[in-house]
Amino acid sequence: MPADPGKPPTVTPVRVVIALCLIAPFVAMLWVSSYAKVDPTFIGIPFFYWYQMLWVLISTALTMIAYKLWQRDQRSRKGGASA
């Protein structure tokens, strides 16, 4: 069955960026050997702990970016469908 020429593709560059924003924290936290060490310490806190806490902030920012991109993508799809 041929694709509808008026319908934009399901996988778009914006959706790929959204997926990368949501997957990055999982990859970073599941790759434990990359941060399972004590040095460098930050204000006396071992790397293992402050790296994970940093990812809490990074994950929040990436999730917010993904959400805003998703909203923009949905608005553009609705606007393009009615035109």
Side-chain angles (χ1 to χ4, degrees):
M1 184 167 194
D4 183 13
K7 183 181 175 189
T10 303
V11 178
T12 63
V14 172
R15 289 185 177 191
V16 171
V17 170
I18 291 169
L20 290 174
C21 285
L22 296 175
I23 291 170
F26 289 102
V27 172
M29 290 293 93
L30 289 174
W31 187 19
V32 178
S33 64
S34 71
Y35 63 92
K37 52 190 171 188
V38 175
D39 290 323
T41 59
F42 176 69
I43 60 171
I45 302 170
F47 181 74
F48 181 81
Y49 295 111
W50 69 259
Y51 178 82
Q52 291 181 58
M53 293 310 297
L54 180 64
W55 269 101
V56 170
L57 300 175
I58 294 169
S59 298
T60 302
L62 289 173
T63 302
M64 186 175 62
I65 290 167
Y67 178 70
K68 293 296 183 184
L69 287 173
W70 180 257
Q71 282 183 323
R72 184 186 307 168
D73 184 60
Q74 293 304 303
R75 278 195 305 268
S76 69
R77 285 177 162 273
K78 286 180 184 175
S82 63

